[in-house]
Amino acid sequence: MRKLMIPLGILLFAGCYNDKEDQLYPAGQVCDTTTMSFAIHIQPIVNQNCATANCHDAVTKSFGHDLSNFNGVVTSVNSGRLLGAIKHETGFQPMPKGLPQLDGCEISKISGWISQGMKQ
């Protein structure tokens, strides 16, 4: 019996190790929303999710919104439609249409950009 317990004990302890939780499960990148600019932070989000072919691009201008450039995005923000749509708020058409809501960091960046005065 004693011979069996020693190998079993070694086997159990061999499975234990000391890793740090933050190394095993990183929290991910921090969403930095300070000093947002349209060209660097907002335009890539809009180009990928909104100003796409047959949607809010310069040709289609779906629902009268051309989000392919700075002035078009500012106009949409000033109309009061952009944030409600991307946040999927009640009374707004959820955007991007037929797709999941933008991730929280992207929405925070757009909100931050707006609150910071919509710098180009």
Side-chain angles (χ1 to χ4, degrees):
M1 180 76 164
R2 203 172 169 114
K3 289 183 180 181
L4 180 63
M5 292 182 91
I6 292 173
L8 184 60
I10 291 171
L11 196 71
L12 288 174
F13 287 114
C16 296
Y17 56 93
N18 187 17
D19 281 334
K20 296 182 178 178
E21 184 177 358
D22 60 341
Q23 291 174 343
L24 289 173
Y25 308 106
Q29 297 179 1
V30 174
C31 184
D32 183 9
T33 60
T34 57
T35 320
M36 294 286 99
S37 77
F38 180 77
I40 295 171
H41 305 98
I42 306 308
Q43 191 168 25
I45 296 169
V46 173
N47 285 348
Q48 184 177 4
N49 297 286
C50 312
T52 57
N54 298 316
C55 210
H56 300 294
D57 61 328
V59 176
T60 310
K61 300 178 188 176
S62 185
F63 295 100
H65 295 280
D66 176 4
L67 302 179
S68 66
N69 60 66
F70 175 78
N71 291 332
V73 174
V74 169
T75 299
S76 184
V77 168
N78 289 336
S79 76
R81 304 298 303 164
L82 185 76
L83 273 181
I86 65 170
K87 289 181 175 183
H88 292 195
E89 293 177 348
T90 304
F92 294 89
Q93 178 69 38
M95 292 291 157
K97 187 174 184 176
L99 296 172
Q101 183 177 5
L102 299 177
D103 73 44
C105 185
E106 291 172 321
I107 293 172
S108 293
K109 286 180 178 184
I110 294 169
S111 295
W113 172 70
I114 293 167
S115 67
Q116 295 166 23
M118 297 184 280
K119 296 173 186 142
Q120 199 162 357

